[in-house]
Each structure stands twice: as structure tokens, then as C-alpha cells.
Amino acid sequence: MKLLIDADGCPVVDIAVKLAKEQGIPCLLLCDTAHEFFRDGAETLIFDKGADSVDYALVSRVIPGDLVVTQDYGLASMCLARGAQVIHQDGWAYTPDNIDALLFSRHESRKLRSAGVRMKGARKRTQAQDQAFEDFLRQVLQTSVQG
């Protein structure tokens, strides 16, 4: 098992690297040239800036049993199809039961934006969200290492 992080715009990189290191799990940070991340305890893989270049690189490295951290529903769907566990930066799991609804919601939002509807932006990230992610990731890693 390894932990792969879609690091472009990911606010929980430090938390994820820390927990992977604690559990002795290899950790890969995947990012493009505009978002280079280097953290002690993780290997950084940098890809050309471009639409979905990091996503495709991550998917090509995922094997069954790996754990992926991403906020990208499309990437989550591809990783689930390859047998990975996938979690969101807010501390919940993508599953075969919720991914279709998430992708549909993303599609509908995109249609509204292209029709000129103004959508609210993301709220400022809170410490509670970071804590929820840390608690959830810790639980997932401990379960995976033990079982």
C-alpha cells in the first residue's frame, strides 16, 4: 500500500505526509510545475502543467489497495475503478455508492456556470475540516495497516 496525494491545491498535504510517515507507508506527492511540493518523508513527482496531466499520471501509478487523497471527483472515479481507496480532503470516502451522484452534481454545476449562473466560491478552510481529515485518514491508515 502507498499513499498518493493529488497535491495541486491540496490543503492537507502536511497532515497526510505526517500520518503516512507515522505508519511507515510510502507517500507520493503528484503535482505540476506550477505547484511544486517537497516534503520530508514523501517522494515528489512533478509533471508538465496542463489539463489533467497530474490526474492521468496518478491514475497510471495506482494499484489495488493504494490510498488516494483528492478533491477531484473525476480522478476519484478513475482511482476507484482501479481498486484504490479514495478520500476527500474534508475527511470522507469516495465510494461506488456516492461517486455517481458526485459526478452528476459536478456536471450540473458546470452546465450552470456555462449558462452564466454565478456560483458561490469555496468557503475559507477551517481547522475543524483539517481535524476531520486527520481523524479520518488516521482511522483509514490504521485499519489498512492492521487488516
Side-chain angles (χ1 to χ4, degrees):
M1 170 193 205
K2 62 187 173 297
L3 176 63
L4 298 98
I5 303 172
D6 178 13
D8 289 343
C10 182
V12 295
V13 169
D14 291 334
I15 295 168
V17 170
K18 176 186 84 168
L19 294 179
K21 197 172 177 181
E22 284 177 9
Q23 295 293 325
I25 296 169
C27 182
L28 298 175
L29 303 176
L30 292 89
C31 56
D32 67 28
T33 56
H35 302 98
E36 293 184 26
F37 286 87
F38 297 97
R39 299 293 190 276
D40 191 36
E43 179 182 353
T44 299
L45 303 175
I46 302 169
F47 301 92
D48 288 336
K49 193 174 164 185
D52 302 322
S53 64
V54 172
D55 296 352
Y56 294 126
L58 194 151
V59 168
S60 72
R61 285 164 173 77
V62 163
I63 61 172
D66 282 346
L67 179 60
V68 175
V69 176
T70 186
Q71 65 179 337
D72 183 313
Y73 298 168
L75 176 58
S77 177
M78 290 186 285
C79 292
L80 285 173
R82 294 191 52 109
Q85 294 182 73
V86 188
I87 65 173
H88 189 273
Q89 66 191 21
D90 288 344
W92 51 269
Y94 295 94
T95 68
D97 295 329
N98 69 14
I99 195 65
D100 288 339
L102 292 167
L103 289 168
F104 180 75
S105 172
R106 180 182 76 166
H107 172 72
E108 290 298 308
S109 292
R110 186 173 290 154
K111 280 183 9 186
L112 289 171
R113 283 191 305 275
S114 69
V117 175
R118 297 190 80 195
M119 309 289 283
K120 288 185 177 181
R123 292 184 177 158
K124 183 171 170 55
R125 187 157 182 90
T126 66
Q127 191 172 11
Q129 287 172 296
D130 287 346
Q131 190 62 56
F133 173 79
E134 183 170 353
D135 293 344
F136 187 71
L137 179 58
R138 186 179 306 278
Q139 175 188 353
V140 170
L141 289 173
Q142 288 174 346
T143 301
S144 297
V145 169
Q146 293 171 357

